[in-house]
Structure formats: structure tokens, C-alpha cells
Amino acid sequence: MKSPTVRADEACEKREMRFSFGDNWSRFLAILDGDRIEEAERSLQRMLLVERLDGKRFLDIGSGSGLFSLAARRLGATVHSFDYDAQSVACTAELRQRYFPMDTDWVIERGSVLDAAYLETLGTWDIVYSWGVLHHTGAMWLGIEHAVGRVAEGGAVVHRDLQRSGIQVAGVVANEVALQPTAEAAKHLVCL
């Protein structure tokens, strides 16, 4: 059985002044309980209009604490989580260790949504989840474009930042009033 890995992405090795989200996520894991996990599961079920995610592939861009990766995995999805922040990656790995130790259907890596070469290695996914993350990159528009580019045919993007972007990305037009996707993009988008 292949052991799950946590890889460092070379693009993430640059030293920059930035907020350490992982510190907050570490504190959050100390109070994470079954009720919060179940609420995360219900949240995904409501957003995606499904009961289960069996047979689905779930990409969590900016996994943070790992809570929604855990929820997707508990609902049956194969999960790939990545985050730019090394401590956030460690938090996600901690949740996998607690609830799905040695699970090869949940991969966790350090990576950047702004690194096109890295994203290409991931392929496409049934569900691309990025909740309130991309505006923190300093290049939100590029992050949105890259996230939408990871969606498989018939898949969905669950994305908080896109709602307020007011831009067109891969056939999706969003503004503050309402999301107005093209017919093709509508097949892929869940934006709350």
C-alpha cells in the first residue's frame, strides 16, 4: 500500500512577509468537534445538492484547517488538498491523521494556485473547492482563472471569491448583484 505524502512545492519556498493563516488553523483544530465536522458535511451537501460524493474527485484549493477536505472525504470523495501556507498543510495533514490515517484517497501537498505548472500536474476534478482563499493570493484574478481551469467536464467550482469579482473567467461572468454564467459555464459553477 502506497503511503500518502505531503510534498513541498518549490514555488512555495520563497520567503515573503505574509499573514500566517496556519497559526489560526492550529488553534481551530484544538476545538474542532463532531458537530463542526457534521456541519461542514451538511454545508457541502447543500452547496452541491447531493447526499454523498462517492466516486467524485474533490480538489481543495487553500485547504487551511482541512475541515472541508475532511468533510468531502467523509462523504466519499477522493480528495486532493493543497495550501501555500506550510502550517495550514500541517493542519490538514493532522486531520487526515486523526480521521483517515494512511488513506491513499486523500493526498495533501504544499502548492500554490498561482503556479500554473503545479496545477497542470493535478489534472481536472469533479469538484474544485476554494472558499474565501483566492483574494489572499495578491493575484485573485489569476487564481480564479487557474481554479476554473481545474474543473472536469460536468464538474463544479465551489468558490466564494468569484461572486464579487465582477470579471469574466472561462465563460463565467460574475458581479456583485448576481452570477451570470454562460450556458457552458453554468454546468460547472456553484458560487455562493
Side-chain angles (χ1 to χ4, degrees):
M1 174 186 274
K2 182 180 167 190
S3 175
T5 60
V6 177
R7 276 188 336 204
D9 176 30
E10 290 179 19
C12 295
E13 296 304 316
K14 297 179 198 173
R15 299 281 181 212
E16 298 175 357
M17 293 296 294
R18 51 185 295 280
F19 183 78
S20 179
F21 289 97
D23 290 338
N24 286 345
W25 293 130
S26 292
R27 287 189 292 277
F28 174 72
L29 291 188
I31 62 167
L32 180 63
D33 60 14
D35 290 340
R36 285 185 169 102
I37 294 168
E38 289 172 7
E39 181 54 37
E41 289 175 22
R42 287 189 297 271
S43 174
L44 285 178
Q45 290 169 321
R46 283 189 307 268
M47 284 187 271
L48 297 169
L49 304 175
V50 298
E51 286 298 313
R52 301 278 309 157
L53 294 174
D54 299 298
K56 299 294 184 187
R57 298 177 69 235
F58 184 95
L59 179 64
D60 190 353
I61 297 174
S63 59
S65 69
L67 176 59
F68 281 87
S69 290
L70 173 62
R73 187 69 192 102
R74 284 175 45 131
L75 291 171
T78 297
V79 176
H80 190 108
S81 314
F82 73 90
D83 202 298
Y84 183 87
D85 181 85
Q87 200 170 1
S88 293
V89 172
C91 289
T92 302
E94 168 63 25
L95 281 188
R96 182 186 62 199
Q97 182 59 34
R98 285 184 199 176
Y99 297 96
F100 287 91
M102 301 305 292
D103 184 4
T104 59
D105 286 333
W106 184 358
V107 174
I108 302 163
E109 296 181 319
R110 187 169 182 210
S112 172
V113 71
L114 302 180
D115 183 348
Y118 167 70
L119 292 173
E120 279 298 314
T121 69
L122 301 178
T124 58
W125 296 78
D126 300 310
I127 301 159
V128 175
Y129 181 89
S130 183
W131 195 261
V133 171
L134 300 178
H135 64 279
H136 293 291
T137 65
M140 184 176 80
W141 313 143
L142 181 60
I144 290 170
E145 185 177 331
H146 285 178
V148 171
R150 296 298 93 219
V151 181
E153 181 65 32
V157 175
V158 179
H159 192 295
R160 176 67 174 111
D161 298 308
L162 188 57
Q163 182 179 11
R164 293 192 176 102
S165 67
I167 61 165
Q168 183 167 350
V169 177
V172 177
V173 178
N175 61 42
E176 289 187 18
V177 177
L179 184 66
Q180 302 164 354
T182 64
E184 179 61 27
K187 293 189 271 184
H188 302 290
L189 189 64
V190 175
C191 183
L192 304 170

